[in-house]
Amino acid sequence: MEFANLGRSGLIISRLVLGTDNFGTQTTEEDAFAIMDRAHELGINLIDTSNVYGWRFGEGLTEQIIGRWLAQGGGRRDRTVLATKLYGRMAEWPNNSGLSALHIRRACEDSLRRLGTDHIDLYQPHHIDRSTPWEEIWEAMEILKTQGKIVYVGSSNHPAWHLAGGQEIAARRGHLGMVSEQTIYNLLERRAELEVLPACRHYGVGMMPWSPLDAGLLGGILRKEREHLLGKPLPGAGMAPHRSRRLVKLDRHRVAVQAYEDLCAKLGEDPADVAVAWLLRQPGVTAPIIGPRTVEQLDAAVRAFEVNLDEATLARLDEIFPGPGPAPEAYSW
């Protein structure tokens, strides 16, 4: 495993992050325990979740699963950089969503209870809150830090100007500010290169891209389609709404995805490994977030560190999936 500082902080994390969005939905609790144990064996130390994961309204199911795993002891908590997120609605009554100081306080207490721990290492707003000023958000986070309930603050799905505004106000308050940002970023979805990635690099915010395989579109989906036609089950079958959205996007990008899979075949590499390896090469990217449903998928993800992408291959990937270029040149001069 490779390690790096998270942004400009002193926190050292593995260059792969274990995402847990599947725990409690597509992955059983028993399998989730096995995945987290295997992650530690592989050297992955950052486990990322959210209070809404598990997708049962108000239950925080995934946090509960992680809490029961941590409760087994054996040094699991000490070896884990524990990250969770807040923002989504957790109850019908007012002040149970967003980033008001009241909800931040309540959400943190609820996450601590579900996770069975006395502190969260990385606490992250899951989305921007257009109705709450940064001054209120930072005051609430500062109180939680003083109380020892959180250690670092990150963010997720924040546009560049929100990152800039948050960091500038944090600096005026003498606060470290955000040390990380989670955003969707992969070969098919490169809009982060316009402004989010440059903002992260400017402010020393570590980038943790989510959906590195773009819901499986970069994981060899066309090969799996052909196997399905030959009678093998297509992974994800039965997830009708999700598969429907994925296949609509695949239809738009089928030519590019086929060219990508052809390139991966020429390299003798699995498309999923190439996609993650490409992210690991991008300036400003600290650690992609992987979301394995099985231990086997987790083991396969680590193969990305062994993939060699030379300059010619990187140039070909840019031809297949051209990035937007930097702002303002991408839309001006």
Side-chain angles (χ1 to χ4, degrees):
M1 182 54 56
E2 296 178 3
F3 295 88
N5 285 79
L6 185 56
R8 64 191 182 101
S9 77
L11 181 65
I12 298 173
I13 68 165
S14 51
R15 293 211 65 210
L16 287 179
V17 172
L18 180 63
T20 60
D21 191 13
N22 291 316
F23 291 3
T25 53
Q26 298 185 58
T27 302
T28 66
E29 182 164 325
E30 180 182 2
D31 288 344
F33 280 23
I35 288 170
M36 289 185 282
D37 283 335
R38 180 59 176 157
H40 274 183
E41 292 173 4
L42 293 170
I44 296 174
N45 71 338
L46 200 162
I47 297 178
D48 177 72
T49 191
S50 171
N51 61 358
V52 297
Y53 288 174
W55 307 108
R56 295 181 188 172
F57 181 65
E59 291 189 22
L61 178 60
T62 303
E63 286 187 333
Q64 292 184 47
I65 291 172
I66 295 171
R68 288 190 285 271
W69 175 74
L70 292 171
Q72 296 178 102
R76 286 176 173 83
R77 181 64 184 94
D78 291 340
R79 295 199 301 270
T80 300
V81 177
L82 186 58
T84 192
K85 299 184 283 291
L86 79 151
Y87 175 84
R89 183 166 294 280
M90 297 297 289
E92 294 292 353
W93 202 248
N95 298 309
N96 282 290
S97 64
L99 299 177
S100 69
L102 180 58
H103 184 239
I104 289 174
R105 175 182 175 179
R106 288 176 173 171
C108 182
E109 295 289 354
D110 289 343
S111 286
L112 289 171
R113 172 178 49 79
R114 287 187 291 263
L115 291 165
T117 187
D118 63 354
H119 72 282
I120 295 162
D121 298 307
L122 180 62
Y123 203 38
Q124 307 155 110
H126 209 160
H127 196 276
I128 62 171
D129 185 343
R130 295 179 176 89
S131 64
T132 304
W134 269 111
E135 289 84 356
E136 180 177 349
I137 294 170
W138 282 129
E139 183 177 57
M141 294 296 187
E142 289 161 9
I143 290 171
L144 291 177
K145 290 186 73 170
T146 300
Q147 294 173 337
K149 295 176 179 177
I150 67 172
V151 183
Y152 295 96
V153 179
S155 61
S156 180
N157 303 308
H158 278 43
W161 76 271
H162 273 270
L163 287 171
Q167 294 301 79
E168 292 295 335
I169 291 171
R172 292 202 293 269
R173 298 175 66 89
H175 193 287
L176 177 64
M178 291 167 282
V179 299
S180 63
E181 158 64 11
Q182 297 184 13
T183 196
I184 184 169
Y185 182 40
N186 56 57
L187 279 163
L188 264 171
E189 177 50 79
R190 296 179 61 171
R191 282 177 290 182
E193 294 173 4
L194 273 170
E195 297 191 354
V196 174
L197 261 175
C200 286
R201 295 178 70 186
H202 176 77
Y203 285 105
V205 174
M207 167 66 78
M208 297 191 292
W210 58 268
S211 196
L213 305 185
D214 208 321
L217 295 182
L218 296 168
I221 190 171
L222 296 180
R223 182 194 67 208
K224 293 169 185 175
E225 268 191 349
R226 291 190 293 272
E227 292 174 350
H228 176 60
L229 292 174
L230 293 173
K232 298 181 181 179
L234 187 64
M239 302 294 291
H242 172 73
R243 285 204 15 87
S244 177
R245 291 192 298 271
R246 182 171 66 168
L247 294 179
V248 167
K249 187 170 184 178
L250 175 60
D251 285 341
R252 294 202 309 268
H253 299 284
R254 185 173 291 271
V255 173
V257 172
Q258 184 61 68
Y260 172 66
E261 293 192 15
D262 290 344
L263 174 62
C264 294
K266 182 178 178 181
L267 295 172
E269 301 288 356
D270 188 273
D273 297 337
V274 173
V276 176
W278 179 83
L279 278 172
L280 290 167
R281 288 285 302 269
Q282 301 312 298
V285 169
T286 304
I289 302 171
I290 56 172
R293 295 189 301 274
T294 65
V295 170
E296 291 73 22
Q297 289 182 349
L298 174 60
D299 284 337
V302 181
R303 172 79 179 86
F305 289 109
E306 301 173 18
V307 175
N308 179 34
L309 300 179
D310 58 25
E311 293 304 317
T313 301
L314 291 170
R316 177 58 181 146
L317 289 170
D318 282 337
E319 290 177 1
I320 297 171
F321 302 113
E329 291 86 350
Y331 47 79
S332 185
W333 55 273

